[in-house]
Amino acid sequence: VFTSYNDMGATVKDNCSKGLRVNVNSAVDTSFLGTYTIAYSSSDNAINTATIMREVVVFDTIKPFISSLIGNDTITLEVFDRYSEPGISYSDNYYGAQELSVNITGEVQYRKVGEYILNYTVIDPSGNQSLAVRRVVRVVDTQSPVLSLVGGDTVEIDVFDKYYDWGIKMTDNYNLNSELNVDIKGSFIDSFGVNGVSKRIGFYSYAYVVFDESGNTDSVSRVIAVLDNKAPSIVLNGLPVLVIERWSDFDDPGARVVDNYWNESGVWYT
């Protein structure tokens, strides 16, 4: 189609007449697809007429052309957001855009994190198919897990008590809780372990750091106040009741202090 047609013509022979003329009746139009008939006729001096036909087929072998993707060749999509196809720009040497068929192979599973490939081709009514172009759609999860402490953000315990944390509540937009990675850290862990015995008074941190499978993270922490709430005990040296002579000097045997946490240098009595 759209090429020039150069007819090869025809020759005529006659048993008597010489120099006969061949008449050509042609309506070939290479601007339009189709089958055209060319009629060749010739008459001799005796008005005997011969006719022969030729068919000329105007066809299209040019592939449609995809000039570009509309939008980026790589699209990033948040998981659970529906994919909206931006399409392609394309044309054909003969057919209008409304007559062309656009084929897209591949599927974007927007509910599942991953990388999806879409291939685009265009076919015209003559069966010519364009070269394929490709788009990559990346379905990603960029939202962090959501954490909350079970119980208060500050907990008081007695020194030498074993600590059991109340834990956390956690949810994620994509991963199940069983798929989340939980890391417990903080100064309390460093000093006494996850469920350790608190051997020193002070203020310690107890933190949860949670990662989902896409590497998104969030953290929460509480303060653990290790306190000494037990009063010291005073123990008398000697008997609680002493009998002495009147006017004699009294030599007090004194007392000692016993504490659950402090040694003698850390407690005193009056």
Side-chain angles (χ1 to χ4, degrees), residues 17 39 52 67 69 75 98 137 224-225 249 252 256:
S17 301
I52 192 170
S67 55
L69 293 167
I75 293 177
Q98 70 277 5
V137 180
I224 301 175
D249 293 332
D252 185 19
R256 66 184 186 277

Side-chain angles (χ1 to χ4, degrees), residues 199-230:
K199 298 178 180 180
R200 292 189 302 276
I201 63 174
F203 294 90
Y204 301 90
S205 62
Y206 199 103
Y208 292 86
V209 182
V210 178
F211 299 85
D212 65 18
E213 290 183 340
S214 296
N216 304 305
T217 184
D218 192 17
S219 63
V220 291
S221 64
R222 74 173 101 242
V223 175
I224 301 175
V226 180
L227 307 176
D228 176 19
N229 292 313
K230 294 182 180 180

Side-chain angles (χ1 to χ4, degrees), residues 2 33 60 62 64 91-100 123-128:
F2 298 125
L33 301 182
D60 172 29
I62 305 299
S91 61
D92 188 71
N93 66 310
Y94 180 74
Y95 296 99
Q98 70 277 5
E99 299 175 281
L100 302 175
I123 301 176
D124 67 19
S126 294
N128 303 306

Side-chain angles (χ1 to χ4, degrees), residues 44 88 96 109 166:
D44 62 14
I88 58 175
Q109 300 183 37
W166 294 327

Side-chain angles (χ1 to χ4, degrees), residues 98-130:
Q98 70 277 5
E99 299 175 281
L100 302 175
S101 299
V102 177
N103 295 326
I104 305 175
T105 59
E107 180 184 4
V108 177
Q109 300 183 37
Y110 67 93
R111 292 187 177 93
K112 185 177 181 181
V113 170
E115 186 172 283
Y116 303 92
I117 296 175
L118 301 177
N119 289 297
Y120 301 79
T121 55
V122 178
I123 301 176
D124 67 19
S126 294
N128 303 306
Q129 179 173 298
S130 70

Side-chain angles (χ1 to χ4, degrees), residues 82-256:
R82 290 184 178 274
Y83 174 68
S84 179
E85 174 56 53
I88 58 175
S89 296
Y90 55 94
S91 61
D92 188 71
N93 66 310
Y94 180 74
Y95 296 99
Q98 70 277 5
E99 299 175 281
L100 302 175
S101 299
V102 177
N103 295 326
I104 305 175
T105 59
E107 180 184 4
V108 177
Q109 300 183 37
Y110 67 93
R111 292 187 177 93
K112 185 177 181 181
V113 170
E115 186 172 283
Y116 303 92
I117 296 175
L118 301 177
N119 289 297
Y120 301 79
T121 55
V122 178
I123 301 176
D124 67 19
S126 294
N128 303 306
Q129 179 173 298
S130 70
L131 298 176
V133 296
R134 188 179 83 160
R135 191 194 312 270
V136 176
V137 180
R138 296 177 60 247
V139 179
V140 299
D141 170 26
T142 62
Q143 298 186 31
S144 297
V146 177
L147 312 181
S148 61
L149 292 168
V150 176
D153 57 4
T154 301
V155 176
E156 295 182 357
I157 61 171
D158 285 329
V159 66
F160 299 120
D161 281 355
K162 190 176 181 65
Y163 177 68
Y164 297 95
D165 195 72
W166 294 327
I168 58 172
K169 294 179 180 179
M170 56 184 181
T171 59
D172 189 70
N173 66 309
Y174 180 70
N175 291 117
L176 300 173
N177 282 4
S178 60
E179 298 171 324
L180 299 177
N181 181 39
V182 181
D183 188 16
I184 304 175
K185 57 179 59 179
S187 58
F188 187 91
I189 312 298
D190 296 339
S191 299
F192 313 118
V194 175
N195 292 314
V197 175
S198 51
K199 298 178 180 180
R200 292 189 302 276
I201 63 174
F203 294 90
Y204 301 90
S205 62
Y206 199 103
Y208 292 86
V209 182
V210 178
F211 299 85
D212 65 18
E213 290 183 340
S214 296
N216 304 305
T217 184
D218 192 17
S219 63
V220 291
S221 64
R222 74 173 101 242
V223 175
I224 301 175
V226 180
L227 307 176
D228 176 19
N229 292 313
K230 294 182 180 180
S233 299
I234 301 176
V235 180
L236 293 173
N237 295 327
L239 298 174
V241 177
L242 297 176
V243 179
I244 61 172
E245 292 289 339
R246 187 182 183 189
W247 308 119
S248 62
D249 293 332
F250 175 65
D251 185 11
D252 185 19
R256 66 184 186 277

Side-chain angles (χ1 to χ4, degrees), residues 232-234 255-259 262-270:
S233 299
I234 301 176
R256 66 184 186 277
V257 178
V258 177
D259 190 71
W262 301 100
N263 57 28
E264 291 184 0
S265 61
V267 293
W268 60 93
Y269 66 92
T270 58

